[in-house]
Structure formats: C-alpha cells, structure tokens
Amino acid sequence: MEKVLFLKGKFVEKIWGGDRLKNFGYDLPSNKVGEYWAISGMDDLESEIINGSFKGQNLKDIYKDHKELFGKEDKASFPLLIKLIDANDDLSIQVHPDDRLAQKYENSLGKTECWYMLNDEPSSIIYGLKVNDKNEAIKLIDEKRWDDLLREVNSQKDDFFYVPAGTVHAIKKGSLVLEIQQASDITYRLYDYDRKDDQGNLRDLHLEESKRSIKTELVENKPEKKEYETYIRTDLLSNQYFEVRKFEIKDKTSFKREKPYLLEAVTEGKGELILGEERYPIKKGDFFILTNLVDNFEIEGKVSLVESNSK
C-alpha cells in the first residue's frame, strides 16, 4: 500500500488562459490553458496516480475504495480541489453560493476558496464590494454601476486571499494562482465587461443567482509566520472546510503528520521527500498526498510547499 500518492492533473483551456504553466515543467496542450486541476476527485477531471501500486488509477476511485489511506474520513467524495490558474486576461466577475444555497438550487456543495498568488509581476484582483449593504449592492448591479460597486486591490507574489462563498471576486490579467477550494464547480457570472465570444455573442450571465448568493462582509484572515532553524512556516488559513499552510524549507527538516492526510503543492525549488528508507525527488509543479500510512517524514533541499488538509 502506497504511503505517498503522486498525481498528474488535467488541463482546462479557457478563453482567458495562457502558457505560463509551462514554467512548472508541464507539457501544455495549447497556449490557452487557464487551469490545471492538480488534485481533483471530481467527475471527468479526476487526478491520476502516477506512482506505485495504484499507478494509472484516479483519485476519485482511490478515495472511495481505500478510505484507510485518508484516515477513514467520513465524506462521500474527495472534499477538496486544488488548481493552478493562469490568467492571461481578466476573468469575469463571479460569486459562488454557500452550502445552503448550493444544496437547495444546485444539489451541490458550496464553493469557499482561497488564493495563493504566484505571479512574479504585480497584478490586481476584484475582492469584495465597496458597499456593505446588500440592498445597495443589488441596486448598483441593476444600474450597472460597476465602478461604484467593485473593490479592486493590488496583488503580488506570495499574497494570500481568503474568498468565502458569497464574496464577489475576479482574478485579473497577469495573475498566477494556486487555488484551494471546496470540491465544487458552481460559479455564477455577475459581469463580464460586455465581452463577446468568437461568434460575437455576449457570454451568459447569472444575475438572479448572483444576487441571491452575494454576501457583503469581508472576512478577516491574518496569516501567522514562524521562523525556525531549518524552515519557515506560515499558517495561512483555517476554516470549517480546510486548513492551509506554507513551508519554506532551507535545510533538511523532519515533520510528523498531524492530520489524517496532507495535500502538498510544490511551488518553488526542488528537493527530496524522505519516508524512512524511501526517497522521492520533488520539484516545482509536483503535487502529492501524504496518506494516513505516513507517520513521520522529512523534506530535504531548498523548496517551498503549500500544504492543505480537509476538516
């Protein structure tokens, strides 16, 4: 039984996509790749296991059939989705429903997410609203007064943004994002800058669904950084669905697995994952799961990882 599952994800082409994910060592299918679904158990976009006895199988089935690897977690399907997003153009202004609304109208989980920014050049995002009254927000939407409604903030490498369900948001041109979210693909498009597709048609909007889902308050989130002799740990987020941490490894470091399983995204550098006598090379662009069979592990090399776990 494998202690660690290395994963190969699937690329999703988008009209706003680009080719910067090649810098993660990937062989891209086109220069319009918007998303890489790196750790996914969702239908049709499941990650593939690329090592050991499960090689060639998908994460959806492994999670269903081998609960012992995931601490016998009591969830019907793999609960998180981890993506890389390359915005070569502005994404539409969006909002996601919370669990209650998603279950009622979509028979789905809601979509709370967070973004760890990887772009080297400064960019910006739409992050919440300039007003804190929902009725006022809806009035501004109906009047198409987007400049009076949308809150735009600067973003750069290593910034972190918590985007709970109901937060109006958009990733803008130049952003390169590691996104960790609930395993849901329910997105309501509120506004798309009146852009037209290749056939000259405006893209569909979901105005009523968006207005129903909007929440106006921004939730405070303050990452906490601690520096140790061989590494830096930054606790980025803990909410009811998942936790997110960043580790910047400077020299060989030992860890104890403290969660049922850990999802690891290598964002910079290269090194080795050491499990007893077993050594695995790791590098920027790798994604892997440390299963419940791992007790202690070591990371060696100059390497940065963003780690997450479900709750």
Side-chain angles (χ1 to χ4, degrees), residues 3 21 32 59 61-62 91 108 130 151 154 162 186 225-226 239 262 267 310:
K3 293 181 178 180
L21 296 188
K32 282 290 185 181
L59 180 58
D61 292 341
I62 295 300
L91 277 66
S108 170
K130 292 179 179 177
R151 179 174 177 261
N154 294 328
Y162 177 34
I186 304 299
K225 179 182 288 191
K226 295 180 181 178
N239 63 24
L262 298 172
T267 58
S310 72

Side-chain angles (χ1 to χ4, degrees), residues 166-212:
T167 306
V168 174
H169 64 275
I171 295 170
K172 301 206 74 178
K173 182 177 182 178
S175 299
L176 189 64
V177 181
L178 175 70
E179 180 177 88
I180 298 164
Q181 59 163 95
Q182 288 179 272
S184 169
D185 201 29
I186 304 299
T187 294
Y188 299 141
R189 192 178 297 126
L190 176 62
Y191 177 56
D192 195 40
Y193 312 101
D194 297 321
R195 288 185 294 199
K196 296 181 179 179
D197 62 21
D198 293 340
Q199 286 73 46
N201 301 311
L202 292 172
R203 298 174 76 195
D204 290 336
L205 301 179
H206 314 98
L207 288 174
E208 294 310 312
E209 295 91 340
S210 295
K211 288 189 281 189
R212 182 172 64 216

